[in-house]
Amino acid sequence: MRGIKTPIKKLRKQIFTEVARVAFESKNIHHDIEAIPYKITPNEVPLYRESIYRERAICSERVRLAMGLSLRPDDEPVHVTSGLDASNVAEKYYEPPLMQVIPSACDMCEDNVYEVSDQCRGCMAHPCVEVCPRHAISMVNGKSQIDKEACIKCGKCKAICPYDAIAKKIRPCAAACGIKAIGSDEYGRAKIDNEKCVSCGQCMVNCPFSAISDKSQIFQLIQAMKQGPVIAELAPAVIGQFGDDVRLWKIKAALKEIGFANVYEVALGADIGAITEARHYVNEVKTGKLPFLLTSCCPAWSMLAKRALPDMVETVSSALTPMVATARTIKQRHPDSKIVFVGPCAAKKLEASRRTVRSDVDFVITFEELEAIFAAKGIDMETYECEEPIHDATGTGRGYGVAGGVANAIENCINEYYPGTEVYIEHAEGLTECQKILMLAKAGKKDGCLIEGMGCPGGCVAGVGTNIAVPKAAQAVRKFVKDSTVPLPPKEYSKIELP
């Protein structure tokens, strides 16, 4: 469903836009927030559900999450805006869990269940019956029938059916979760195991009912913009997210028009990180001090790595992530400003809430959320004409937006600044593959390697807060890298002193 303008994308944009509009314009915030579900479903005809009452109830929960608030309890009356006044813009950070299942929106999908479809022709061979080790399949009225109580879900019946008449039903959110963090509650609704979850958000974008959502800081960000200077830092994956011909200069101009004090490229921090991790690899791995080096820029990957390798956390690079390195550089220049990271990633929202990062990054929003802010201010990026130059980074840092780009950037830096050093590169994308490569590294199968991990299949351009299809986004970023006037950062970037 990525890159398709589904009703879910339309609904999410509507809600983010209305919350942003209230934050910018409202004189009666509580009333106008409570009214949003009625603006989304304005009459007696439901748009998405079987009744307007359920639709508006679900919409109310979406509004709360869009304001950074937690879902309301099921067993007591709570206003949609309850807790909003305590959401202080200077102090408010995401309260875990970031990813939440809206119970009333979940369709209670069956998970890991085999079912005979009407494709069954009741063939004479009925091999499905013969291969079932538990005799859970029988012929009823000329068709195969599976006894779900006896079925052990081995899949032999599905594999042997000549008509592909047996389907394996898997909960879409669970299928998308590479670390098996999604199960079921006592009612059959999806339930996230927060001890396992790394907030990549793949479950959210793969749920056909949009029953899983993350929290937003749109409301708090806009309030902060009214009170003082807020500077935006743009992730490299931003290229192409707001239109085929919308280049970085145009996005910067639009951001300044809606109230941001200035705009920087996060690729600046990526340039710093590439040189830093190149030095780490040469000084730590090539000398035998560390068996291998894991990149640190993807928070979902680094969180997974630290859980999978608790006795080898030193193998995760200590380099600042591009988001943090850029933010610290900005705050050196503008110490009284607040910083918002604008990117493709849900996991960055939790990274920014860590104790060691809180003073650097004040807000995190996604490209999806920024698109709604533009809509609230009446800015159509496809027709927007203003531009303002921005040249903060090199092609090296800008390549971080696609899978393989991080390792490629580090390798290029090693080849340039440590000539003659042999580099062994491995990379994994998607949490399933990330887990596999971590286990191989733990077993000593990846010694001497620089290992890049990306929580989302495809890298940052596949983050859950993006607006366009992954292949299209990857192509746009690669072109941006190719067209960069400066390919590599100067070596002295690695010596920049960050507070």
Side-chain angles (χ1 to χ4, degrees), residues 187-204:
Y187 302 106
R189 300 175 300 205
K191 182 179 181 180
I192 299 173
D193 183 344
N194 295 310
E195 296 299 315
K196 293 181 179 179
C197 179
V198 294
S199 299
C200 69
Q202 290 297 318
C203 57
M204 177 175 74

Side-chain angles (χ1 to χ4, degrees), residues 307-460:
R307 290 179 183 175
L309 308 175
D311 299 326
M312 304 177 74
V313 292
E314 70 279 1
T315 60
V316 180
S317 172
S318 59
L320 297 176
T321 66
M323 176 181 79
V324 177
T326 305
R328 290 190 182 181
T329 303
I330 295 171
K331 286 203 170 180
Q332 280 185 324
R333 303 172 187 175
H334 309 279
D336 297 325
S337 296
K338 292 190 181 299
I339 307 295
V340 56
F341 171 83
V342 184
C345 181
K348 285 291 184 185
K349 296 180 177 183
L350 280 189
E351 181 188 344
S353 70
R354 294 175 188 164
R355 179 183 55 81
T356 54
V357 180
R358 285 175 64 143
S359 60
D360 304 313
V361 181
D362 300 280
F363 305 99
V364 173
I365 63 170
T366 64
F367 301 143
E368 179 187 32
E369 292 164 343
L370 178 57
E371 184 180 49
I373 293 176
F374 283 148
K377 295 296 285 184
I379 293 177
D380 181 355
M381 293 303 295
E382 294 281 5
T383 58
Y384 190 74
E385 295 182 351
C386 298
E387 291 191 343
E388 185 168 336
I390 178 171
H391 294 287
D392 297 322
T394 73
T396 291
R398 290 167 176 169
Y400 268 50
V402 293
V406 177
N408 183 64
I410 299 167
E411 183 177 19
N412 288 342
C413 288
I414 292 173
N415 292 337
E416 179 71 18
Y417 306 126
Y418 307 94
T421 302
E422 195 168 9
V423 189
Y424 302 101
I425 299 293
E426 293 279 357
H427 96 269
E429 48 188 283
L431 293 179
T432 300
E433 295 305 311
C434 285
Q435 284 198 117
K436 290 178 182 178
I437 205 165
L438 287 170
M439 292 303 100
L440 289 171
K442 186 177 182 179
K445 304 294 185 181
K446 299 298 176 183
D447 285 359
C449 290
L450 168 68
I451 305 175
E452 172 200 316
M454 288 287 178
C456 297
C460 299

Side-chain angles (χ1 to χ4, degrees), residues 205-222:
V205 294
N206 281 281
C207 174
F209 288 89
S210 189
I212 302 175
S213 186
D214 60 344
K215 293 179 178 178
S216 173
Q217 284 183 307
I218 282 182
F219 186 84
Q220 290 79 9
L221 168 62
I222 294 170

